[in-house]
Amino acid sequence: MSDNTLWFEGIRFPMVGFSPELLREVRDKFLVKDEDTITVTYPKSGTNWLIEIVCLILSKGDPKWVQSVPIWDRSPWIETQHGNELMKSQKDPRIYTSHLPLHLFPKSFFSSKAKVIYCIRNPRDVLVSGYYFTSKMKIAEKPETLQQYMKWFLQGNVIYGSWFEHVRDWLSMREKENFLVLSYEELIKDTRSIVEKICQFLGKKLKPEEIDLVLKYSSFKFMKENEMSNYSLLPNDLTTEGFTFLRKGVVGDWKHHFTVAQAEEFDKIYQEKMAGYPPKLFPWEEC
Ligand code: PPS
C-alpha cells in the first residue's frame, strides 16, 4: 500500500480532511459534555444508519431535519476538519460521531456521563463494504483486488486501523451504563426492537406511531432516496464513477465475494485475534 494516507500514532487516516494537529487536539482537548450522545463505530459498520435513527428519534419521527440537513452536519465527525469546525456552533444537547479507536478518543469522555452507542458488524461484511467504498473514493489507496484489500484489512493497514483492535478496545467499555453496544446484524433482524432499545438508552419516550415513522424514514429505501443521507452531495473530486454509498445493506454479502481459501484465511486470523472473546457478543458467530 503506497503511502498517500496520513499516519497518526500508528493508524492510517485519509489525507483529505484530517491533520495530526487536529487528531491530537481532539484526543487531548475536546471537551465531552455529560449531555452528549455519540455514535462510535469502526467504518462501514452501519454508522450512518444509526445516525439517521438517532436523528429521527430526536425529532419523534418527523423527517424534516433528515431531509433538509446533510447527515455529516447533523452528527458531525469530530476528528474531521469539517466536523470539528461545526462542533464549535453545535447547541446542547449535542450529537456527534466518531470512528476513532479508543486510545485516540477524547480523554474527557472517560470521566463524563456522555452516552456512546457503539455499533459492530461482521468484519467480513465490513471488509467487503470497505473494499467497494475505497475502490470508488479518492481518499485512500485503491486496492486492485479484494485479495489485496483483505491483506491490508487483516494487517490493520486500512484507514482507522485494525478492526480487531478497534472492537476489542471499545468493547472493554461494555459494562458501563453510559455505553450501549449494538450490532448491524441485530438492526437488520429486528429494527424495531433495537430502535426501542436506543430510545430507552437515550431516555426518549416515543409513541408506537412515532416509532413507525423512525423505521420508515431510516429504512434503506428511504435513506437511499434521501440526498441528505445518501452521500450524493459529496464533492465530485472525492468520488469516482459508480460510487454508491448505500450499496446493498444486507447481512452476509461476504459469502458472494470470498473464495473458500479467503474465508479460511480470514477465519484463521479472526480466531487468533479474537481469542478469549465470548461468541455471544458477536451475532454473526451464531450464523
Ligand atoms: S462509513 O463510511 O464508515 O460511515 O459507513 P457506514 O455508514 O458505517 O456503513 C455503510 C454501510 O451501511 C449500510 N447502510 C444501511 N444498511 C441497511 N439499512 C440502512 N438504512 C443503511 N444505511 C446504510 C450501507 O449500505 C453500507 O453497507 P454495504 O454493505 O456496503 O451496503
Side-chain angles (χ1 to χ4, degrees):
M1 193 175 197
S2 73
D3 237 346
N4 76 342
T5 43
L6 165 76
W7 280 99
F8 183 72
E9 308 250 339
I11 307 273
R12 279 183 195 273
F13 289 90
M15 259 318 192
V16 183
F18 293 77
S19 74
E21 296 73 31
L22 181 58
L23 290 165
R24 200 168 297 117
E25 187 189 308
V26 166
R27 181 192 58 196
D28 298 338
K29 303 221 176 97
F30 184 89
L31 200 61
V32 172
K33 300 181 189 173
D34 288 344
E35 319 76 56
D36 293 348
T37 298
I38 319 164
T39 299
V40 181
T41 55
Y42 185 84
K44 313 323 286 181
S45 301
T47 327
N48 287 271
W49 190 7
L50 202 50
I51 295 172
E52 202 81 337
I53 289 172
V54 169
C55 291
L56 285 160
I57 289 174
L58 296 180
S59 67
K60 294 187 180 283
D62 184 338
K64 260 191 234 100
W65 189 28
V66 302
Q67 290 176 348
S68 58
V69 181
I71 195 157
W72 50 75
D73 289 355
R74 278 183 263 129
S75 183
W77 268 257
I78 50 170
E79 66 268 23
T80 66
Q81 281 155 343
H82 176 82
N84 198 270
E85 200 49 44
L86 272 178
M87 286 308 298
K88 295 179 184 148
S89 54
Q90 268 256 48
K91 295 200 181 71
D92 296 332
R94 308 181 300 178
I95 63 164
Y96 49 92
T97 305
S98 180
H99 288 316
L100 287 171
L102 187 72
H103 69 287
L104 296 183
F105 202 67
K107 288 178 181 163
S108 59
F109 164 67
F110 301 96
S111 54
S112 82
K113 295 188 183 123
K115 292 180 177 164
V116 161
I117 307 176
Y118 186 66
C119 189
I120 54 177
R121 185 182 190 188
N122 187 335
R124 298 162 186 85
D125 284 331
V126 168
L127 189 159
V128 170
S129 182
Y131 168 68
Y132 281 103
F133 184 76
T134 319
S135 303
K136 298 286 177 195
M137 289 281 291
K138 295 184 193 158
I139 56 163
E141 182 74 4
K142 277 190 206 326
E144 300 206 342
T145 58
L146 183 76
Q147 178 66 36
Q148 187 178 42
Y149 191 75
M150 182 177 286
K151 186 173 160 215
W152 297 344
F153 187 91
L154 291 173
Q155 292 170 338
N157 243 343
V158 284
I159 53 175
Y160 285 100
S162 160
W163 179 91
F164 303 98
E165 282 165 30
H166 202 283
V167 168
R168 287 190 72 118
D169 289 352
W170 271 107
L171 287 186
S172 68
M173 303 288 293
R174 67 187 184 277
E175 304 297 342
K176 304 229 178 281
E177 62 180 27
N178 58 337
F179 193 77
L180 177 68
V181 182
L182 302 176
S183 71
Y184 184 89
E185 289 72 19
E186 293 170 302
L187 260 170
I188 289 276
K189 193 169 165 194
D190 189 354
T191 320
R192 183 173 209 103
S193 298
I194 302 300
V195 167
E196 286 168 354
K197 201 171 181 177
I198 300 172
C199 287
Q200 200 177 8
F201 180 67
L202 298 181
K204 302 285 170 201
K205 253 189 127 25
L206 264 61
K207 299 186 189 118
E209 56 274 23
E210 291 168 340
I211 300 264
D212 289 343
L213 294 172
V214 173
L215 294 174
K216 173 175 168 184
Y217 291 113
S218 65
S219 67
F220 188 83
K221 178 178 172 290
F222 267 83
M223 280 186 70
K224 200 171 169 69
E225 284 165 6
N226 179 4
E227 65 171 13
M228 297 296 155
S229 310
N230 65 13
Y231 280 68
S232 59
L233 297 180
L234 273 184
N236 284 342
D237 57 348
L238 286 182
T239 58
T240 59
E241 190 68 25
F243 169 77
T244 317
F245 185 78
L246 281 104
R247 196 183 56 90
K248 278 202 178 167
V250 297
V251 166
D253 190 36
W254 68 273
K255 292 175 189 162
H256 303 118
H257 291 81
F258 286 20
T259 62
V260 173
Q262 285 170 336
E264 285 173 4
E265 182 192 352
F266 192 98
D267 281 354
K268 187 167 168 287
I269 309 273
Y270 180 93
Q271 298 305 335
E272 280 167 25
K273 301 257 192 199
M274 301 313 276
Y277 257 64
K280 71 174 169 52
L281 282 176
F282 305 120
W284 54 86
E285 295 201 1
E286 291 164 11
C287 306

